[in-house]
Amino acid sequence: MLFTIINGLATGMAVFLVAAGLTLIFGILKILNFAHGAFFMIGAYVAFMIVGSNPPSLWLFLLASVAAGLVVGALGFITDRTVLRRLRDVDEAYMLIATFAVLLICEGAVKLIWGVNYASINPPPLLDDAIIVGSLFIPTYSAFLIGFGVLVYVALDLAIHRTWLGKLLQAISNDSWMTGLLGVNVPVALTLSVVASFMLAGLAGGILLPNQTLSPVLGGSYLLLAFIAVIIGGLGDIRGAFIASALLGVIESASSVLLPNIPGLATYVFVVVFLLVKPQGLFGSAST
Amino acid sequence: MKPIHFLAIAAALVVLASLPVWANQGVTFIVGLALVEAVFALSWNLLFGFTGMASFGHAAFFAIGGYLCGAGLRYATGVPFLALLGGAGALGALTAFLVGLVALRRSSGIHFAILTLALSEVLRVLIAYSTALGREDGLSAIPRPAVNLGVARLDLTSGQSYYWFLLVASALLAWVLWLVAKGPLGRVLQTIRQDPERAAFMGVDVWRYRLGAFTLSGAVAAVSGALYAPWAQIITPDSAHWIHSTQPMLASLLGGAQSFWGPVIGTILFTAINYATRTLIGLSEIVIGVVLLVIVLSAPSGVMGLLRRFESRRNRPAAAAGGGARVRAATVPTPAGEA
Amino acid sequence: MSTLLSIADIRKSYGALEVLKGVTLDVAEGETFAIIGPNGAGKTTLFRVMTGEAPCNAGTVRYAGRDVTRAPAFERVRLGMGRTFQVARIFPDFTVEENVIVAVEARRSSRGDAAAPRWFQTRPRADVRAEAMEQLERVGLADKAASDARFLSHGDKKRLEFAIALAGRPKILMLDEPTAGMSPADRMATAELIRRLRGESGLTVVMTEHDMDVIFGLANRIFVMNHGEPIACGTLDEIRANPTVQEVYLGKEMYGAEG
């Protein structure tokens, strides 16, 4: 039971790492970024190029993840300049299609560059072990994921609510015209946040590399769950996305124990029921 | 209908009907798939382009029809094919009605989109779990049927004859959808897309019309799936996958969601791009992605919108000059308003 | 004169904020009834409750002898309530004529008219088009029937909205700030239009308005609100003489408030 929950939390944190960037970019640009999953995948491939199938050390693994974050962050800068910036006053549905187009381009590029073969990656040394507490068996990598997820959440929450830039971004999100009038360079601030969101995607790609089968369909698999976490958590709400991710992970994990033959069913049923009962999200008030 | 439109449709029908005579089997097969996808896209766009609702789980209806027809042809050999098609339409309509009954009351916009997506994924997971439906491998070796018309018996077991049947059926479905979209019903739906609240203040029961459009759209999507199963002779859980749901969206937006024929044009373009880039893995995604991006960023009214702008510019140069800039703000449909 | 619209003890809160604190009023058939009050008085909220755009927390709305408190907007429209919006709302993707055609067709099909459109006839019926043109002529837009509605000027959009509302053959016309954002000349033209339409069809009119010249020219009775409560109701002279009203508007010109 406890094992299932811990396993679920690890999955949930993996989802959160993807959802964090997604909800961040939505909170600021009001764009639901389909391409996020693809950039996550590119991050994974970049990290894979550095560490290979058997990461030689934990430090190199972490370094590779950071490098993946930087590369994807740079791609984010390019995407912002070429695409996202032009989508500011386009309708919601067309934003989705545009980011979906970026997703297609990324997937095509991944197939062209790295081929369609599968690769599997082991956890680096120190994370391929397990912690045994009494009868409880916790893979260190799961423990690491949970810790890392919480760390990212705390860092983001602090960055948004405590720092000058975070407050600025909140102001822009509320009323970018007014904020611009107050002398803030809105475009630069927006670009910064987009780059931050993409860096998160790349970082997540590196961190989640172990125990993963790397292939060009990787982008879609996490994207859907992350999307759902963002919607359930309330669009643009980091805390909501965090809790929703953990919840989804536990449900997924529990259902793989209880209904091993029908993977995913419980999760989707939960989503349907949740959206019908509380369409405004976890912490949303009834009036919105 | 303008004469030029009539000519275009007649020419397209002639080319399509004569296709098996002059093109090879591979091309005919791909065009047959495109016909099915075109009808599927038209059914989706009745919701999006005309009523202003974005369903992200439309593939579920396609799969319902496809599996019903596939299973019927394999297991219930006594059931006439036309009954299977009708049954698929009825089941699609019923499912859409029940889903719409709940979902349209409780959600709109992005929530409606995610809700339909999750429901279609539930269906996909259940299909992949069902042994009778072939689990992950799907139903294969689906036989092509014979149709008994009373006076004559149509043997559709050969690829050619089924292709012609497919063409007639697709044309009929498109025609029915055209009547709905262009008639008084379509006009009401378009008022709902543009401003649901304003429509309500004309005495329109918005919810009921949305439900009706959703039901009709689900029925047509299911029939398109039912037509697909014997053509491809296989149907897999992938037909219910959310990636398949994005197909009609891409086709509609590429072709122009505001135009009735936009989704068809978009499907043709997609098929052509896929065919032209089939040898290099990854290239088709890049080309399609770039084309889509260019469309959304420079001409959000799609190919048909571009044609129409070109047409009106020729007719009255002055009036159209200002039109281009405003297209984006005014013709972009608002998904169901947050009520 | 019989009462056409009557509301009793309407209360409405947004969260902890009580916007309407028990409003009661009666509108008689054939009269023009204006609701005025300073900013934040609750005029627009009251208007939304009367038209069915927003639900109220307590109280009743009766229309033509029927309790319509819980009736959604479209049902009230079918009973003969027409309305316009503060910022004219028309269908921008349609031509001017199509805007009115859909309104005529909506009325016909919702009232089970024998001449209702059939789904397989794609073109609007000739009599529908004739009726639409008639409404356009009434508001003076017949010559623009074929142009795209989105290219109309602000004043013309407002006119078109009147035509859409009239196509529903309403008994009562609810006008939410019909002259908001208009130039003085357009305001007078709109007031003139309302006066003429009212005379032609014997319409009952309920309006909120900031422009006192428009109100003085049109209203039979004026209802003054402040802080979500009625403070006076009566003819123009009675309102002018009312000390509470003078106090509310003290230091301001009567038409100084903004929307």
Side-chain angles (χ1 to χ4, degrees), chain A residues 30-31 105 109 142 144 150 182 200 219 272:
Chain A
K30 308 287 178 245
I31 290 178
I105 295 173
S142 297
F144 166 75
V150 173
L182 295 174
L200 272 171
V272 169

Side-chain angles (χ1 to χ4, degrees), chain B residues 29 33-34 54 74 91 96 102 137 147 161 166 207 223 240 248 308 321:
Chain B
F29 182 72
L33 292 183
R74 270 192 57 169
L91 190 59
V102 183
D137 298 330
V147 175
S161 53
L166 193 59
W207 181 75
V223 176
R308 204 168 285 167

Side-chain angles (χ1 to χ4, degrees), chain B residues 187 193 195 197-198 203, chain C residues 78 89 91-93 105 122:
Chain B
R187 281 193 285 277
R193 184 201 78 223
D195 189 341
E197 195 166 52
R198 186 75 193 86
Chain C
R78 290 177 182 187
R89 282 163 85 166
F91 301 110
D93 293 355
E105 285 183 338
T122 55

Side-chain angles (χ1 to χ4, degrees), chain C residues 40-255:
Chain C
K43 303 182 298 285
T44 299
T45 306
L46 179 64
F47 199 82
R48 284 157 58 94
V49 168
M50 288 194 291
T51 54
E53 196 180 334
C56 55
N57 300 103
T60 53
V61 180
R62 295 181 67 81
Y63 170 75
R66 238 191 262 221
D67 186 349
V68 294
T69 316
R70 299 271 161 257
F74 74 89
E75 279 177 16
R76 300 187 196 195
V77 174
R78 290 177 182 187
L79 291 171
M81 221 186 242
R83 80 164 286 189
T84 64
F85 292 82
Q86 235 176 70
V87 177
R89 282 163 85 166
I90 46 133
F91 301 110
D93 293 355
F94 284 160
T95 64
V96 171
E97 189 189 6
E98 280 169 333
N99 264 278
V100 188
I101 285 173
V102 288
V104 174
E105 285 183 338
R107 187 200 77 230
R108 291 193 178 200
S109 59
S110 67
R111 293 194 189 158
D113 196 316
R118 299 193 192 282
W119 68 274
F120 49 82
Q121 294 169 326
T122 55
R123 280 174 201 284
R125 295 164 55 110
D127 55 332
V128 169
R129 297 190 63 166
E131 195 186 323
M133 281 311 288
E134 203 179 293
Q135 297 297 1
L136 284 175
E137 267 158 28
R138 284 178 78 186
V139 300
L141 272 179
D143 55 325
K144 295 196 172 120
S147 31
D148 285 343
R150 81 174 75 112
F151 296 130
L152 289 183
S153 68
H154 181 67
D156 281 350
K157 279 185 180 154
K158 206 80 203 181
R159 273 183 234 268
L160 178 55
E161 216 191 9
F162 273 110
I164 292 173
L166 290 170
R169 297 209 179 139
K171 287 201 278 283
I172 188 167
L173 203 50
M174 317 279 293
L175 308 173
D176 193 5
E177 305 216 3
T179 70
M182 286 186 172
S183 67
D186 271 350
R187 283 184 191 196
M188 284 304 111
T190 306
E192 187 50 45
L193 180 67
I194 297 170
R195 199 191 332 272
R196 186 160 54 79
L197 296 175
R198 184 181 66 180
E200 282 170 13
S201 319
L203 282 168
T204 309
V205 176
V206 174
M207 58 196 284
T208 64
E209 181 57 62
H210 272 122
D211 189 310
M212 289 303 156
D213 291 335
V214 172
I215 288 173
F216 294 163
L218 285 172
N220 308 115
R221 252 185 337 140
I222 298 172
F223 181 83
V224 190
M225 285 176 75
N226 196 23
H227 299 304
E229 281 167 317
I231 54 174
C233 182
T235 63
L236 179 57
D237 293 333
E238 286 164 13
I239 293 298
R240 274 193 174 138
N242 186 304
T244 329
V245 176
Q246 284 174 354
E247 191 183 314
V248 167
Y249 280 98
L250 196 69
K252 294 181 194 175
E253 282 185 85
M254 284 286 269
Y255 49 87

Side-chain angles (χ1 to χ4, degrees), chain A:
Chain A
M1 184 58 207
L2 204 56
F3 175 72
T4 310
I5 290 177
I6 288 173
N7 217 344
L9 284 179
T11 313
M13 286 310 102
V15 171
F16 172 70
L17 288 180
V18 181
L22 206 56
T23 204
L24 185 70
I25 207 169
F26 183 88
I28 292 148
L29 292 188
K30 308 287 178 245
I31 290 178
L32 210 46
N33 185 13
F34 255 117
H36 200 78
F39 286 104
F40 160 75
M41 175 171 70
I42 291 178
Y45 271 101
V46 169
F48 173 66
M49 274 175 67
I50 299 173
V51 295
S53 282
N54 287 297
S57 78
L58 178 60
W59 295 116
L60 189 64
F61 167 70
L62 290 177
L63 202 69
S65 301
V66 171
L70 291 176
V71 170
V72 175
L75 289 176
F77 180 74
I78 297 170
T79 312
D80 183 59
R81 279 297 150 93
T82 51
V83 182
L84 299 180
R85 177 156 295 192
R86 296 165 202 262
L87 289 177
R88 295 284 146 78
D89 33 55
V90 174
D91 184 80
E92 215 178 33
Y94 286 82
M95 286 184 188
L96 279 178
I97 296 293
T99 60
F100 193 84
V102 176
L103 168 87
L104 283 177
I105 295 173
C106 291
E107 271 187 14
V110 165
K111 284 181 187 170
L112 278 178
I113 298 171
W114 287 290
V116 289
N117 293 332
Y118 289 71
S120 53
I121 295 94
N122 295 315
L126 297 178
L127 293 185
D128 56 354
D129 223 340
I131 308 164
I132 296 167
V133 185
S135 63
L136 199 62
F137 173 90
I138 307 166
T140 25
Y141 182 63
S142 297
F144 166 75
L145 270 189
I146 296 174
F148 195 80
V150 173
L151 187 76
V152 167
Y153 165 64
V154 171
L156 276 178
D157 203 57
L158 286 179
I160 288 172
H161 295 115
R162 295 279 183 274
T163 67
W164 170 80
L165 181 66
K167 285 179 180 164
L168 188 66
L169 288 175
Q170 279 186 307
I172 291 174
S173 160
N174 283 335
D175 189 341
S176 71
W177 183 81
M178 191 63 209
T179 316
L181 215 61
L182 295 174
V184 174
N185 192 338
V186 175
V188 168
L190 288 180
T191 303
L192 276 178
S193 67
V194 170
V195 170
S197 155
F198 276 69
M199 281 177 75
L200 272 171
L203 185 68
I207 293 291
L208 297 180
L209 195 56
N211 294 342
Q212 198 70 257
T213 331
L214 191 57
S215 79
V217 296
L218 180 65
S221 59
Y222 273 95
L223 178 67
L224 198 56
L225 281 176
F227 247 168
I228 290 171
V230 169
I231 300 276
I232 287 184
L235 287 158
D237 181 347
I238 291 276
R239 182 174 57 131
F242 179 72
I243 293 174
S245 298
L247 211 58
L248 283 175
V250 172
I251 290 172
E252 182 98 342
S253 166
S255 90
S256 70
V257 172
L258 300 172
L259 298 164
N261 294 325
I262 332 181
L265 182 69
T267 312
Y268 294 121
V269 170
F270 166 74
V271 172
V272 169
V273 172
F274 185 91
L275 283 179
L276 289 176
V277 175
K278 214 169 178 316
Q280 63 276 15
L282 273 179
F283 303 110
S285 56
S287 62
T288 47

Side-chain angles (χ1 to χ4, degrees), chain A residues 91-94, chain B residues 42-56 104 107-113 185-197 199 206 209-211 213-214 217 257-258 331-339, chain C residues 93:
Chain A
D91 184 80
E92 215 178 33
Y94 286 82
Chain B
L42 282 175
S43 78
W44 183 80
N45 199 45
L46 183 73
L47 291 183
F48 180 76
F50 284 81
T51 324
M53 298 188 284
S55 152
F56 274 43
L104 289 172
S107 66
S108 61
I110 194 78
H111 289 105
F112 180 73
L185 207 57
R187 281 193 285 277
V188 177
L189 296 182
Q190 287 187 67
T191 64
I192 293 174
R193 184 201 78 223
Q194 295 177 62
D195 189 341
E197 195 166 52
V206 172
Y209 274 95
R210 277 184 177 148
L211 184 60
F214 194 60
S217 173
Q258 301 295 293
T331 65
V332 163
T334 8
E338 306 278 346
Chain C
D93 293 355

Side-chain angles (χ1 to χ4, degrees), chain B:
Chain B
M1 205 187 295
K2 282 189 209 157
I4 180 140
H5 296 163
F6 185 77
L7 273 179
I9 289 172
L13 281 177
V14 168
V15 170
L16 285 171
S18 62
L19 191 79
V21 181
W22 51 266
N24 67 36
Q25 273 196 338
V27 172
T28 309
F29 182 72
I30 289 171
V31 172
L33 292 183
L35 285 175
V36 169
E37 286 296 327
V39 173
F40 181 40
L42 282 175
S43 78
W44 183 80
N45 199 45
L46 183 73
L47 291 183
F48 180 76
F50 284 81
T51 324
M53 298 188 284
S55 152
F56 274 43
H58 223 49
F61 300 115
F62 186 94
I64 285 173
Y67 270 94
L68 181 89
C69 185
L73 288 173
R74 270 192 57 169
Y75 304 128
T77 40
V79 181
F81 182 53
L82 292 181
L84 284 177
L85 291 184
L91 190 59
L94 180 71
T95 316
F97 179 79
L98 293 177
V99 169
L101 209 56
V102 183
L104 289 172
R105 271 245 195 272
R106 301 283 308 173
S107 66
S108 61
I110 194 78
H111 289 105
F112 180 73
I114 297 292
L115 191 64
T116 48
L117 192 154
L119 281 168
S120 76
E121 286 294 295
V122 167
L123 182 77
R124 183 181 64 82
V125 168
L126 287 177
I127 289 175
Y129 172 69
S130 156
T131 316
L133 297 179
R135 295 187 162 259
E136 294 285 353
D137 298 330
L139 289 176
S140 56
I142 298 169
R144 289 190 186 139
V147 175
N148 204 336
L149 291 176
V151 283
R153 190 166 174 281
L154 282 178
D155 186 7
L156 301 180
T157 41
S158 84
Q160 255 185 31
S161 53
Y162 190 81
Y163 172 81
W164 278 315
F165 177 80
L166 193 59
L167 179 60
V168 172
S170 307
L172 275 176
L173 286 171
W175 182 61
V176 169
L177 283 177
W178 187 83
L179 284 179
V180 170
K182 291 291 171 181
L185 207 57
R187 281 193 285 277
V188 177
L189 296 182
Q190 287 187 67
T191 64
I192 293 174
R193 184 201 78 223
Q194 295 177 62
D195 189 341
E197 195 166 52
R198 186 75 193 86
F201 277 104
M202 292 191 321
V204 172
D205 186 347
V206 172
W207 181 75
R208 196 193 284 219
Y209 274 95
R210 277 184 177 148
L211 184 60
F214 194 60
T215 305
L216 176 66
S217 173
V220 176
V223 176
S224 74
L227 287 169
Y228 166 86
W231 179 241
Q233 301 198 290
I234 182 171
I235 184 137
T236 65
D238 277 350
S239 62
H241 199 281
W242 67 275
I243 295 287
H244 189 214
S245 294
T246 60
Q247 206 55 46
M249 304 180 200
L250 303 182
S252 300
L253 287 154
L254 190 61
Q258 301 295 293
S259 150
F260 179 79
W261 296 109
V264 177
I265 306 284
T267 308
I268 293 172
L269 275 176
F270 265 116
T271 308
I273 294 173
N274 270 324
Y275 188 74
T277 58
R278 68 192 178 285
T279 46
L280 191 51
I281 291 165
L283 190 62
S284 70
E285 280 102 327
I286 294 188
V287 174
I288 289 176
V290 169
V291 171
L292 263 179
L293 260 188
V294 169
I295 291 276
V296 174
L297 294 181
S298 65
S301 46
V303 175
M304 289 299 274
L306 276 180
L307 284 177
R308 204 168 285 167
R309 232 195 287 176
F310 178 69
E311 211 176 357
S312 64
R313 188 166 298 173
R314 266 194 332 193
N315 295 346
R316 25 168 204 160
R326 278 187 239 193
V327 160
R328 177 165 300 187
T331 65
V332 163
T334 8
E338 306 278 346

